[in-house]
């Protein structure tokens, strides 16, 4: 009996009038946890009751504490008839279970009813007393911290990154049970809300157990999703990255202890000159064969068989003669760390310094499945039993689903391997369901990681295999073997270090690394596509969909590539491709943030070629179009400040014997840049991209290229965490959600027409956002994430959640740099670790005889080693001229690099212990009557420091109405529902003592309407991390004080 | 093909002042869009009419959702549904409770009843203010009236506290409540030249000096009802006109004081008895509710109009009323000095305010 949950009901306010006669309410409260219920007294005749109840105590297992929410029901007492429910509050007590999170939940919660929405508020106090549990075989995983944030949370340090954790649980959907025919919509909604709350609690607990098993204490990048499969059930699944985190205020053993004997085996991929990297890659597959659920895989889902897929990776030996063995050694080291895992996947999108070595490209896999009801053995009267016990789902259900995901993950893994990468980062999974067809998708970025954070006890020698590439360009270098390229790509030498090869274009799903060398600013790039499909049933439908998928994806990639080139950029970050199925169409939406990576070659323009050059007017048409495109490119260059420094071109003997020309070998990767011959490598001159105008696709492409309206002056947009080129954020912040549903008329639309409609829908939505937020100019819309759905035959739904952040226009980059410089010293002392890495680099490389020589001998152009400028530059005087250029570039790089690091430090750098203690207690943030709670989809708030994570927020709500018109139609209904969801999130955060939600996302917004019946229903699932932040300015001003009660937890409990 | 659903919800509720005003003015979404287009917001922000329509609809919806809270402004501050910065909240409330002078002149002093509300379409037609806006303003008056009706303590303070209005607006509402409660006639043709602010000023005077609250500040309705005892006492002032000696004595004192100081001395001398009778009769009749209602019309008919026809300037009126009031104090047989001061103080400031040249 390891825990005691205590709850106290204090008061209510703004209650609705329940008794028409007196215009008052006789309210009382039921507090329920598990199967125990307590009641308060009735507080008669008041809309603002003061119950001030005793402490209700629940003695429970911590397993239940994790699974169950505390359920508070407010009712109106009625002497003669049944008591009327006013509404409910579900409180997730998980944050109270971790010693580092919140200690008490106390505050006003909106009382929510699924039919009426928010009906007043209730003030509640909740505490948990946990007893130590020494039972090793326990089922609970109390104390494991969960973060939605997809980077190492700002006040923690990663000791170890253990890797991928996943779990899913399945149940019947109460909405589809027989009993739903006789119960009220309210009862049905509440059953569903409660079930999902239970299931996510259980899921979290199970994942927590896995984390403990791996020896971790936290899950970062926790992503939980629901699949509402309708008749066949309800799946709640989650993935995340298990880590061991250390609170940064702790004194930790410096990771810097270098073992001198370890420093000699130096090289790694970088030193092998030939392993010159390249690579943009997008690999992607569709398991087109329809797998109906009936083909049950025998594999048990929880069996984590360590597959030895990486053993063959010794083939890295082909990379370089001298470096081969070393490289292989390195790989093996890292491999062994990764081998322990079934899937070397990481849901993180940004990484501790030195973790991410190389990026291969996007890997994705999709699979079309048929949801089959037969798989639900629970039929007939067994259902009523199941209804009583939500947890007793049939065992084979999760197995089927798990097997499906397993397949996809294997696929991803093999794609990564083909790209010469042993890991996948920025990994995510999603589904789209329409009737009984379901598309499972997974995508990520193939990458090579340092073993630094991955091996037990590796800390003292972790720098041994540290990749020594200049941080600004290292990740761009190709990880795969250029003689054995996984796809046709055109490689050049890195424009920064000139030693390693880089691809001409790079697509990734991760955030832009803070240290990356970027020229100019970035911008949101979207590819949108809509394809009609014949209505079909069952397997026929699934087959039709899987046949369409490759084309869809191919075209999306082509669009992305075109738009990227139109903006004169060469890399995409945060790429997210969403494919939604409807009865009669498929929607594809790809969003990413385009940037110009300095290490990569400048993209060529877009050339339009006509197939029938006979006609003069036709030629004119083409040349007009060409001119337009060229103008747009020029304009964009100016707009995004893409002015790459001109480099002295060096002739590089490409080691690739024969570039594969025009080979589009791989399904759905759309790089056509391979059309350039070897001689065209010089970046400025090439027009690599040829659009043939006769092709209807090309017409469409051009159309969509030219219809993308530029963002209005003062606005920038991206779908990643940070916008390259903008550093001086102000604290003005506006998170918003916008939803649009578009009804297509009955007219039979062509693909093209449909495309235009969809494109316009997205464009108009963006325009509206810019207009709405015009008062914040200059500002950037960050994390601009679109979700598309086809809720019904002729409806297209687009939902966006993003944050608008103002920045200081006056302060240009230079000024930003100055202000950063001021904080430099402080930043350094505060975060030693950040600097250790570069310092060691120089030390190590100069002592290392292997470091520079070999690269140079191979490459005719003679690239100086990027690593130890002081040594190398002085020794190669004859190459002065090119080096001066290089030095300048280098200096430029370093400056830029430092700016970025610093600006991130400003936001992220940990507090010294004394400081964090000095913070006032949580409660003091409740200035005014309602404390302001900020919300942002980003993992940080500019100008502030997050000093404490209070726990994960994961909430699921259903709202239904039978008086749609009276509530202002569909828009009125959804508007108030979203506002209510925000209000409930804020209330929960405030009750935990927090003042912000970071990494907020709306993962589900399922809207259904039936205007004829005057009805509508909507389901929303949101998540995020509740935090306490303080303004940096306040922080400086606050003198150290004794530690306050609320921030007592300085010891980073392992959670176990 | 159409946009079926279109919502935008910010964590901090976004509200455009200009759109809010259009909503308050009772415009339809389409009319509001037209006004905005004419205002040039499109060129400014490169927006299309479509974008403007979407934005306007969205904001109108937000305002509609907020309206419930605005009707109970204290709730706005501690509700959880909309996160609105305090300065914005104050702006929303102030503008919601703001009213048009043209409108208030139409209903000032009328009973705030359903009957009056039904006539609002006439008011709307007459003033050119949309019916919707008229209704909002009327409902505001009525709501404030209902709430403060049952409260103890100073009227203005109560309004400020319950409706979180700024001082000036709270005073205006106090005037409206006061007028509605006493049903002062303000609509007669002869009163048309008076603005709401003229009446509001007078209401302030009456509230400060003639109500129960002027004496005792903890009574219910203290600022709404006139002090009955005082009204009773006013009857005693009649002696000033019924007693021939007193009247003559009063007149000569005033004449002595004014001689040579005003161009309209002769007219004043000739009219003295009429004017004095007028003012004292008003005082004596105030015990009748009916006559209270006619208070302003009486002031105009009995005093302001005669003076106007004799071409008195405001300065003349001021001079006359000052000496008229002060001279009475010198009359040794006149015993009702306190009541006289309390009466004449208000009368003087009201008349001066109402005396437009």
């Amino acid at each position: 009996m390891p825990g005691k949950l205590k709850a106290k009901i204090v008061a209510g306010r703004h209650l609705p009038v329940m008794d028409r006669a007196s215009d008052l309410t006789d309210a009382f409260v039921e507090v329920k946890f598990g199967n125990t219920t307590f009641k308060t007294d009735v507080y008669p005749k008041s809309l603002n009751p003061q119950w001030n109840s005793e402490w209700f105590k629940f003695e429970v297992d911590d397993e239940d504490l994790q699974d169950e929410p505390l359920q508070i029901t407010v009712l109106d007492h009625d002497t003669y008839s049944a008591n009327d429910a006013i509404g409910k509050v579900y409180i997730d007590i998980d944050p109270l279970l971790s010693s580092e999170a919140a200690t008490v939940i106390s505050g006003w919660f909106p009382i929510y009813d699924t039919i009426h929405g928010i009906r007043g508020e209730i003030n509640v106090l909740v505490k948990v007393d946990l007893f130590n549990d020494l039972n090793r075989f326990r089922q609970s995983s109390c104390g494991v911290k969960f973060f939605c944030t997809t980077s190492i949370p700002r006040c923690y340090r990663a000791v170890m990154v253990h890797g991928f954790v996943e779990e899913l649980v399945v149940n019947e959907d109460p909405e589809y049970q027989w009993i739903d025919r006789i119960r009220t919509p309210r009862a049905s909604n509440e059953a569903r809300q409660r079930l999902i709350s239970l299931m996510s609690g259980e899921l979290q607990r199970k994942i927590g157990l896995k984390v403990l098993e791996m020896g971790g204490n936290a899950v970062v990048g926790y992503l939980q999703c629901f699949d509402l499969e309708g008749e066949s059930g309800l799946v709640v699944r989650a993935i995340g990255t298990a880590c061991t985190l250390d609170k940064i205020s702790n004194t930790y053993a410096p990771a810097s202890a270098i073992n001198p004997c370890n420093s000699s085996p130096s090289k790694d991929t970088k030193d092998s000159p030939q392993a010159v990297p390249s690579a943009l890659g997008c690999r992607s597959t569709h398991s087109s064969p329809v797998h109906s659920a009936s083909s049950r895989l025998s594999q048990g889902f929880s069996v984590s068989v360590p597959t030895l897929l990486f053993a063959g990776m010794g083939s890295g030996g082909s990379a370089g003669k001298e470096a081969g063995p070393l490289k292989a050694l390195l790989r093996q080291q890292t491999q062994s760390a990764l081998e322990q895992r079934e899937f070397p996947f990481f849901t993180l999108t940004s990484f501790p310094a030195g973790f991410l070595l190389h990026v291969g490209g996007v890997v994705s896999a999709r699979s079309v499945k048929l949801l089959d009801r037969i798989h639900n053995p629970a039929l007939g009267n067994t259902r009523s039993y199941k209804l009583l016990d939500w947890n007793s789902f049939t065992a084979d259900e999760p197995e089927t689903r798990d097997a499906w995901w397993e397949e996809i993950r294997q696929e991803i893994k093999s794609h990564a391997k083909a790209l010469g990468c042993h890991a996948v980062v920025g990994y995510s999974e999603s589904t789209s369901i329409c009737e009984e067809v379901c598309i499972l998708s997974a995508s990520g970025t193939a990458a090579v990681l340092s073993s630094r954070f991955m091996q037990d006890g590796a800390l003292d020698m972790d720098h041994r295999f540290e990749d020594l590439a200049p941080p600004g360009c290292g990740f761009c270098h190709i990880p795969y073997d250029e003689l054995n390229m996984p796809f046709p790509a055109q490689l050049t030498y890195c424009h920064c270090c000139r030693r390693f090869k880089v691809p001409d274009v790079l697509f990734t799903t991760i955030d832009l690394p803070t240290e990356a060398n970027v020229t100019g600013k970035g911008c949101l790039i979207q590819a949108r596509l809509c394809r009609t499909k014949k209505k079909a049933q069952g397997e026929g439908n699934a087959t039709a969909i899987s046949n369409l998928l490759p084309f869809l994806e191919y075209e999306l990639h082509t669009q992305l590539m075109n738009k990227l080139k139109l903006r004169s950029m060469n890399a995409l970050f945060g790429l997210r491709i969403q494919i939604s199925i409807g009865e009669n169409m498929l929607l594809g939406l790809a969003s990413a943030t385009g940037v110009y990576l300095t290490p990569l070659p400048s993209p060529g323009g877009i050339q339009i070629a006509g197939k029938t050059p006979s006609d003069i007017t036709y030629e004119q048409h083409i040349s007009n179009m060409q001119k337009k495109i060229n103008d747009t490119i020029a304009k964009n260059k100016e707009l995004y400040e893409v002015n790459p420094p001109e480099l002295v071109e060096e002739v590089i003997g490409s080691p690739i014997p024969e570039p594969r020309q025009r080979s589009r070998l791989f399904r759905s990767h759309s790089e056509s840049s391979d059309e350039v011959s070897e001689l065209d490598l010089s970046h400025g001159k090439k027009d690599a991209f040829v659009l043939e105008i006769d092709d209807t696709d090309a017409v469409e492409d051009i159309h969509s290229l030219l219809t993308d309206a530029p963002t209005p002056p003062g606005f920038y947009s991206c779908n990643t965490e940070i916008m390259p080129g903008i550093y001086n954020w102000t604290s003005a912040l506006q998170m918003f959600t916008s939803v649009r549903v578009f009804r297509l008329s009955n007219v039979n639309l062509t693909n093209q027409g449909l495309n235009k409609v969809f494109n316009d829908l997205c464009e108009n939505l963006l325009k509206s956002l810019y207009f709405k937020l015009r008062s914040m100019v200059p500002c950037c819309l960050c994390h601009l994430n679109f979700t598309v759905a086809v809720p019904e035959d002729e409806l297209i739904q687009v939902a966006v959640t993003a944050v608008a952040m103002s920045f200081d226009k006056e302060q240009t980059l230079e000024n930003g740099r100055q202000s950063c410089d001021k904080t430099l010293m402080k930043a350094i002392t505060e975060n030693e670790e950040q600097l250790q890495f570069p310092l060691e680099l120089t030390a190590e490389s100069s002592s290392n005889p292997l470091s520079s020589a070999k690269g140079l001998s191979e490459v005719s152009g003679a690239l100086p080693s990027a690593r130890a400028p002081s040594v190398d530059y002085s020794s190669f005087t004859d190459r002065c001229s090119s080096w001066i250029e290089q030095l300048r570039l280098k200096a430029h790089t370093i400056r830029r690099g430092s700016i970025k690091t610093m600006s991130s430090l400003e936001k992220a750098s940990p507090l010294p212990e004394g400081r964090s203690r000095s913070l006032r207690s949580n409660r003091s943030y409740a200035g005014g009557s309602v404390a302001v709670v900020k919300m942002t989809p980003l993992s940080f708030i500019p100008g502030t420091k997050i000093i404490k994570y209070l726990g994960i927020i994961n909430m699921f709500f259903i709202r239904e109405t039978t008086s749609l018109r009276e509530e202002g139609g569909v828009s009125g209904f959804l508007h108030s529902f979203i506002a209510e969801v925000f209000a409930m999130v804020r209330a929960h955060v405030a009750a935990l003592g927090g003042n912000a939600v970071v990494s907020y996302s709306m993962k589900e917004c399922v809207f259904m309407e039936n205007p004829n019946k005057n009805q509508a229903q909507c389901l929303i699932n949101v998540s995020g991390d509740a935090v306490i932040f303080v303004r940096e300015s306040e922080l400086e001003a606050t003198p150290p004080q004794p530690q306050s009660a609320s921030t007592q937890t300085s010891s980073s409990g392992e959670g176990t | 093909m159409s946009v079926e659903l279109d919502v935008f919800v910010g964590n901090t509720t976004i509200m455009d002042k200009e759109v809010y005003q259009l909503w308050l003015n009772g415009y339809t979404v389409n009319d509001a869009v037209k006004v905005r287009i004419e205002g040039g917001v499109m060129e400014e922000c490169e927006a299309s009419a479509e974008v403007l329509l979407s934005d306007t609809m969205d904001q109108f919806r937000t305002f509609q959702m907020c309206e419930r809270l605005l009707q109970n402004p204290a709730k706005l501050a501690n509700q959880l549904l909309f996160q609105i910065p305090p300065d914005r909240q104050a702006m929303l409330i102030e503008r919601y409770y703001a009213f048009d002078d043209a409108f208030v002149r139409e209903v000032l002093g009328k009973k705030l009843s359903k009957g009056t509300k039904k006539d609002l379409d006439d008011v709307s037609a007459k003033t050119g203010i949309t019916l919707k806006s008229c209704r909002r303003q009327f409902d505001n008056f009525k709501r404030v009236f209902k709430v403060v009706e049952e409260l103890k303590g100073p009227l203005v303070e109560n309004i400020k506290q319950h409706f979180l209005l700024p001082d000036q607006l709270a005073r205006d509402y106090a005037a409206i409540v006061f007028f509605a409660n006493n049903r002062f006639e303000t609509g007669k043709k002869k009163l048309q030249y008076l603005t709401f602010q003229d009446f509001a000023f007078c209401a302030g005077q009456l509230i400060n000096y003639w109500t129960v609250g002027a004496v005792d500040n903890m009574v219910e309705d203290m600022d709404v009802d006139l002090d009955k005892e005082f009204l009773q006492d006013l009857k005693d002032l009649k002696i000033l006109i019924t007693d021939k000696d007193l009247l003559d004595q009063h007149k000569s004192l005033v004449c002595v004081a004014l001689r040579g100081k005003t161009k309209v001395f002769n007219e004043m001398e000739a009219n003295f008895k009429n004017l004095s009778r007028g003012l004292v009769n008003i005082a004596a009749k105030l015990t009748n509710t009916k006559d209270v209602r006619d208070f302003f019309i009486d002031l105009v008919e009995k005093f302001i109009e005669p003076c106007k026809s004799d071409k008195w300037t405001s300065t003349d009126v001021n001079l006359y009323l000052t000496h008229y009031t002060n001279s009475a104090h010198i009359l040794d047989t006149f015993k009702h000095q306190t009541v006289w001061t309390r009466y004449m103080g208000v009368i003087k400031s009201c008349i001066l305010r109402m005396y437009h040249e």
Side-chain angles (χ1 to χ4, degrees), chain A residues 109 122 131 145-146 154 307 370 413 467 618 642 646 713 763 842 870 888 910 920 961 971 979 1004 1049:
Chain A
F109 291 90
I122 184 168
F131 310 129
K145 296 177 282 286
F146 284 80
R154 301 265 164 159
T307 40
L370 210 53
K413 194 168 155 183
D467 206 286
Y618 183 72
V642 179
E646 279 303 316
E763 281 292 313
T842 30
S870 54
R888 248 199 293 152
R920 294 167 259 151
T961 183
S971 296
E1004 207 82 59
T1049 54

Side-chain angles (χ1 to χ4, degrees), chain A residues 814-994:
Chain A
E814 280 69 33
N815 295 342
R817 189 180 297 154
Q818 281 170 4
S819 75
C820 284
D821 283 341
K822 281 185 226 154
T823 56
L824 176 61
M825 290 319 290
K826 189 178 48 149
I828 288 173
T829 48
E830 279 183 10
N831 200 341
E832 262 176 78
E833 202 205 5
Q834 298 266 0
L835 266 192
Q836 263 157 9
F837 180 50
L839 286 178
E840 274 161 36
L841 279 187
T842 30
E844 193 188 324
S845 56
S846 49
S847 70
N848 184 350
L850 290 176
S851 66
S852 47
K854 67 181 93 119
L856 300 172
S857 61
E858 293 274 336
V859 183
S860 62
L863 297 166
S865 160
R867 279 207 273 122
S870 54
V871 175
D872 290 342
Y873 286 142
S874 57
S875 60
F876 290 87
T877 44
D878 56 334
R879 297 207 171 86
C880 253
S881 61
S882 73
W883 287 348
I884 285 167
E885 190 63 40
Q886 286 258 314
L887 265 171
R888 248 199 293 152
L889 188 66
K890 198 87 201 153
H892 181 66
T893 308
I894 289 164
R895 269 205 316 274
R896 290 171 57 91
S898 63
I899 292 156
K900 282 178 191 156
T901 317
M902 279 182 284
S903 62
S904 78
L905 279 178
E906 248 183 326
K907 293 164 209 138
S909 80
L911 290 173
E913 180 87 345
R915 286 248 176 103
S916 75
R917 284 179 173 171
S918 73
L919 291 157
R920 294 167 259 151
S921 93
N922 311 345
R923 301 287 149 212
S924 65
Y925 291 102
S929 41
V930 176
V932 171
V933 175
K934 296 209 172 202
M935 291 167 77
T936 174
L938 307 182
S939 63
F940 64 94
I941 296 172
T944 66
K945 272 179 184 163
I946 293 171
I947 54 160
K948 195 171 182 188
Y949 282 80
L950 299 165
I952 197 167
I953 297 282
N954 186 1
M955 298 167 98
F956 177 83
F957 298 103
I958 301 178
R959 181 87 149 77
E960 186 164 349
T961 183
T962 49
S963 50
L964 188 58
R965 274 187 294 278
E966 294 76 357
E967 293 199 33
V970 284
S971 296
F973 171 71
L974 193 61
H975 192 142
S976 46
F977 185 34
I978 294 175
E980 282 167 352
V981 169
F982 284 4
M984 287 184 277
V985 169
R986 288 192 302 255
H988 276 77
V989 172
L992 287 170

